[in-house]
């Protein structure tokens, strides 16, 4: 009897313990699910495959990718998803015997500027390479790849021979005096180029970076196309390095629009991407013992990543090699890569609001703010670099990063900074306005964008001059430029939604390209870095 009682008591205790354990596990699971549902700032302590998707960021990502089809030039597909867009600029390049009908308009006008267009492709490609699995989980990877290819197809045609690159189609001064839909343009659109006698190391190297990074995007899905891109990238880099000079000096007319302040950063940027794309050690030597000390601005004051200045992007991209690169590199190369990593961390430290080395360049609402024109560019670019670096730290199991002598910051701190910038952009700001067109209810309705502001009415065609009736209209744009990321607020967090305010209200493809990578990295759990070197 005693033995039976003892056995029964053990059974009851075992059953009770099992029930308690089940309750604890269930509670823990519910807590995790609840936190994922209600806190989109949940950070995975250990990077892994995509987890639960934030619908907020997934929606914003889908919108951001919609802007690129709006900007397409050339012959559009029959199933073109933008009902108010049609074929345009079909004769571009005829004056030089080239087909330059494709590509994308950079902003609200209709010039094809080669430097920002190539930078757009590079940024989109970087986003896919770092966060393609997240994009795929949100069913947006194909859209990103399609936009990259639309640009690189154009760039291939713009590079007809080794030392020739067409870098602009259209006369910007004439174009900016017109207000018309791209489908109705009939002004002359001359083609400008750089070559051995009129060099453009900056634009040629950025185009090489675009080709090299895109070659990695398509390597597993279209190896033949990837090989074509690599060949063009290598030729363009050789051209850029052999015939050094700024395209702004060779083509003075670009100075009023996309003036380049130097080309050393683009040479490093292109060589870094070519190293990742080819595994050729000569490119690694180029950015380190070859030109690192002269070109890289190691230890200098932090710079702001943009279509003009790639230094901050170079520091972060080459930190990737230091974190995950080959073990066969020489000690001299490894030492120089450590300089890139140290400079990258100085740049990131300047971005973090509570860092002892924090830069003061931000609004009261917390947005990184550098210039009145297109202020948001620096916010999204800075946040993207911080996010990418946070995942490098996580994957490397590095617990913190030191800013100054006393303050340590974790990968989660970097990720929180990225969240702060994207949340501001999506409406958590003093204006309670989303700067991403189409997101939420309160977003710019008078975007400075020719195609969006004029009705797509084939029975009433508005030319260069007559279209100004719509520029001057007080009514909202008849076509919504969905996914456009406008220039953003003034330093006091204010914003004026009028069409005649391009400083704040004009979108650009390179803004959207950075936002695509940023949203992709934030819409789910932290990413395991998949090395593409």
């Amino acid at each position: 009897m005693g033995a039976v009682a003892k056995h029964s008591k053990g059974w009851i205790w075992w059953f009770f313990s099992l029930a308690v354990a089940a309750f604890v596990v269930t509670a823990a699971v519910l807590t995790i699910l609840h936190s994922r549902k209600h806190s989109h700032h949940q950070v995975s302590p250990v990077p892994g495959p995509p987890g639960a998707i934030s619908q907020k960021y997934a929606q914003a990502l889908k919108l951001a990718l919609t802007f690129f089809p709006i900007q397409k030039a050339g012959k559009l597909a029959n199933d073109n998803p933008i009902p108010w867009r049609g074929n345009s600029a079909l004769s571009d390049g005829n004056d030089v015997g080239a087909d330059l009908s494709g590509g994308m308009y950079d902003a609200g006008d209709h010039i094809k500027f080669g430097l920002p267009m190539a930078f757009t492709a590079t940024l989109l490609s970087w986003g896919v390479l770092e966060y393609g699995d997240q994009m795929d989980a949100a069913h947006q990877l194909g859209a990103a790849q399609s936009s990259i290819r639309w640009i690189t197809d154009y760039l291939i045609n713009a590079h007809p021979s080794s030392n020739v690159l067409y870098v602009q189609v259209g006369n910007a001064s004439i174009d900016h005096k017109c207000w018309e839909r791209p489908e109705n343009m009939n002004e002359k659109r001359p083609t400008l180029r750089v070559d051995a006698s009129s060099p453009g190391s900056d634009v040629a190297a950025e185009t090489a970076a675009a080709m090299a990074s895109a070659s990695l995007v398509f390597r597993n899905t279209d190896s033949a196309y990837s090989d074509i891109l690599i060949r063009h990238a290598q030729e363009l880099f050789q051209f850029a390095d052999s015939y050094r000079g700024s395209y702004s000096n060779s083509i003075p007319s670009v100075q009023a629009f996309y003036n380049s302040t130097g080309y050393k950063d683009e040479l490093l940027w292109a060589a870094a991407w070519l190293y990742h794309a080819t595994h050729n050690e000569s490119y690694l030597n180029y950015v380190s013992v070859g030109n690192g000390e002269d070109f890289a601005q190691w230890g200098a004051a932090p710079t702001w990543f943009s279509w003009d200045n790639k230094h901050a992007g170079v520091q972060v991209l080459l930190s990737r090699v230091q974190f995950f690169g080959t073990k066969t590199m020489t000690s001299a190369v490894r030492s120089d890569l450590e300089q890139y990593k140290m400079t990258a961390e100085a740049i990131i430290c300047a971005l973090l609001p509570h860092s002892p080395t924090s830069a003061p360049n931000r609004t009261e609402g917390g947005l990184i703010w550098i210039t009145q024109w297109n202020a948001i560019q620096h916010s999204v670019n800075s946040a993207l670099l911080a996010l990418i670096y946070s995942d490098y730290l996580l994957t490397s199991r590095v617990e913190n990063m030191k800013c100054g002598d006393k303050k340590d910051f974790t990968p989660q701190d970097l990720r929180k900074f990225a969240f702060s910038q994207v949340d501001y952009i999506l409406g958590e700001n003093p204006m309670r306005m989303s700067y991403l067109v189409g997101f939420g209810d309160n977003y710019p309705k008078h975007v400075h964008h020719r195609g969006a502001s004029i009705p797509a009415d084939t029975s009433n065609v508005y030319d260069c001059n007559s279209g100004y009736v719509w520029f001057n209209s007080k009514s909202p744009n008849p076509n919504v430029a969905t996914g456009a990321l406008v220039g953003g607020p003034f330093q006091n967090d204010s914003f004026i939604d009028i069409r005649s305010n391009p400083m704040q209200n004009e979108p650009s493809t390179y803004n959207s390209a950075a936002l695509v990578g940023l949203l992709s990295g934030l819409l789910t759990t932290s990413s395991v870095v998949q090395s593409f070197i």
Side-chain angles (χ1 to χ4, degrees):
M1 188 75 180
V4 173
K6 185 177 179 181
H7 179 76
S8 298
K9 182 181 286 189
W11 171 260
I12 293 170
W13 177 252
W14 180 86
F15 182 80
F16 176 75
S17 300
L18 183 62
V20 170
F23 175 80
V24 170
V25 170
T26 302
V29 170
L30 289 175
T31 299
I32 291 170
L33 291 175
H34 182 271
S35 66
R36 284 186 174 181
K37 180 179 180 181
H38 294 282
S39 176
H40 54 254
H41 293 182
Q42 183 71 26
V43 179
S44 172
V46 179
I53 300 293
S54 162
Q55 294 307 308
K56 171 184 175 180
Y57 296 138
Q59 178 194 358
L61 175 61
K62 184 176 181 179
L63 289 173
L65 284 163
T66 302
F67 183 60
F68 298 102
I70 289 174
Q71 297 303 102
K72 284 183 176 180
K75 184 174 178 57
L76 306 183
N78 293 330
D79 59 349
N80 169 38
I82 312 301
W84 49 273
R85 280 302 324 278
N87 299 336
S88 65
L90 297 180
S91 299
D92 279 5
N94 284 1
D95 59 328
V96 294
D99 178 9
L100 300 177
S101 59
M104 291 186 186
Y105 308 116
D106 71 301
D109 54 18
H110 301 141
I111 301 300
K112 295 174 189 172
F113 292 104
L115 182 58
M117 192 193 307
F119 183 58
T120 295
T122 310
L123 276 187
L124 276 174
S125 295
W126 199 5
V128 168
L129 293 170
E130 300 287 6
Y131 300 118
D133 53 348
Q134 284 94 321
M135 290 184 191
D136 198 27
H139 311 293
Q140 298 303 317
L141 179 58
Q145 292 171 324
S146 176
S147 293
I148 294 167
R149 187 155 187 162
W150 192 270
I151 296 176
T152 52
D153 282 350
Y154 170 87
L155 296 177
I156 289 171
N157 289 347
H159 182 225
S161 60
S162 298
N163 296 335
V164 173
L165 178 66
Y166 297 118
V167 298
Q168 182 175 313
V169 181
N171 183 302
S173 297
I174 293 175
D175 177 87
H176 285 196
K177 294 176 182 177
C178 291
W179 197 265
E180 59 190 343
R181 299 179 68 239
E183 293 81 358
N184 302 136
M185 291 186 298
N186 58 16
E187 295 78 33
K188 289 185 178 180
R189 293 175 59 79
T191 304
L192 306 181
R193 71 183 234 177
V194 294
D195 53 34
S197 59
S198 301
S201 298
D202 29 32
V203 65
E206 181 57 61
T207 308
M211 300 281 209
S213 56
S215 75
L216 288 163
V217 170
F218 297 109
R219 174 167 291 170
N220 294 329
T221 57
D222 191 339
S223 59
Y225 187 67
S226 177
D227 289 344
I228 291 171
L229 292 172
I230 281 291
R231 177 174 61 80
H232 281 279
Q234 291 175 318
E235 288 183 358
L236 281 163
F237 178 74
Q238 185 63 42
F239 166 47
D241 193 41
S242 299
Y243 301 93
R244 293 184 181 180
S246 171
Y247 94 125
S248 299
N249 294 330
S250 297
I251 310 174
S253 63
V254 306
Q255 294 175 12
F257 304 98
Y258 284 101
N259 181 56
S260 173
T261 57
Y263 57 79
K264 293 179 179 179
D265 53 324
E266 277 90 6
L267 288 173
L268 293 175
W269 181 239
W273 278 113
L274 276 162
Y275 172 68
H276 283 87
T278 66
H279 302 176
N280 189 321
E281 295 286 335
S282 67
Y283 295 115
L284 192 59
N285 288 330
Y286 185 95
V287 301
S288 54
V289 294
N291 298 283
E293 188 169 351
D294 293 334
F295 288 5
Q297 297 185 352
W298 293 328
T303 57
W304 301 100
F305 188 38
S306 71
W307 58 263
D308 177 41
N309 194 328
K310 316 298 161 41
H311 276 114
V314 169
Q315 314 292 353
V316 172
L317 181 61
L318 288 174
S319 295
R320 173 186 251 283
V321 183
Q322 179 70 348
F323 277 119
F324 314 112
T326 174
K327 296 180 180 179
T328 62
M329 67 181 71
T330 66
S331 59
V333 169
R334 189 174 296 280
S335 175
D336 285 350
L337 289 177
E338 182 63 27
Q339 293 289 332
Y340 281 107
K341 180 172 174 288
M342 290 172 61
T343 308
E345 294 195 353
I347 290 168
I348 302 301
C349 286
L351 300 177
L352 302 178
H354 301 296
S355 164
T357 57
S358 178
N361 308 72
R362 61 195 82 221
T363 71
E364 286 294 323
L367 187 77
I368 290 290
W369 197 96
I370 310 301
T371 60
Q372 289 187 334
W373 278 92
N374 193 17
I376 269 179
Q377 173 186 195
H378 297 291
S379 166
V380 290
N381 288 350
S382 297
L384 179 61
L385 293 185
L387 178 65
I388 289 173
Y389 202 82
S390 74
D391 283 330
Y392 292 174
L393 293 172
L394 275 173
T395 300
S396 303
R397 303 299 189 266
V398 176
E399 294 184 358
N400 53 57
M401 181 186 79
K402 185 175 291 294
C403 294
D405 295 331
K406 300 179 180 179
K407 187 72 173 179
D408 290 339
F409 290 89
T410 67
Q412 182 172 344
D413 292 323
L414 276 61
R415 194 170 175 88
K416 284 181 178 178
F417 164 74
F419 273 122
S420 75
Q421 300 302 290
V422 76
D423 286 344
Y424 183 109
I425 288 167
L426 295 181
E428 294 182 20
N429 57 65
M431 295 289 293
R432 293 293 179 258
M433 168 174 280
S434 166
Y435 293 106
L436 178 66
V437 175
F439 188 86
D441 297 323
N442 187 24
Y443 53 83
K445 305 297 197 302
H446 303 81
V447 177
H448 182 93
H449 190 279
R450 289 157 175 76
S453 68
I454 302 174
D457 183 359
T458 56
S459 65
N460 195 352
V461 175
Y462 296 90
D463 63 15
C464 173
N465 295 316
S466 62
Y468 273 98
V469 67
W470 295 103
F471 175 81
N472 295 318
S473 170
K474 304 300 182 184
S475 300
N477 288 348
N479 309 308
V480 179
T482 304
L485 181 60
V486 298
F490 288 132
Q491 193 167 16
N492 64 0
D493 294 298
S494 66
F495 179 83
I496 304 171
D497 181 19
I498 56 176
R499 206 169 288 118
S500 58
N501 180 18
M503 182 182 296
Q504 291 188 290
N505 215 7
E506 185 172 17
S508 64
T509 56
Y510 42 91
N511 282 6
S512 295
L515 183 62
V516 164
L518 180 59
L519 289 167
S520 298
L522 294 176
L523 62 81
T524 182
T525 48
S526 299
S527 171
V528 168
V529 171
Q530 302 295 327
S531 182
F532 48 79
I533 61 172

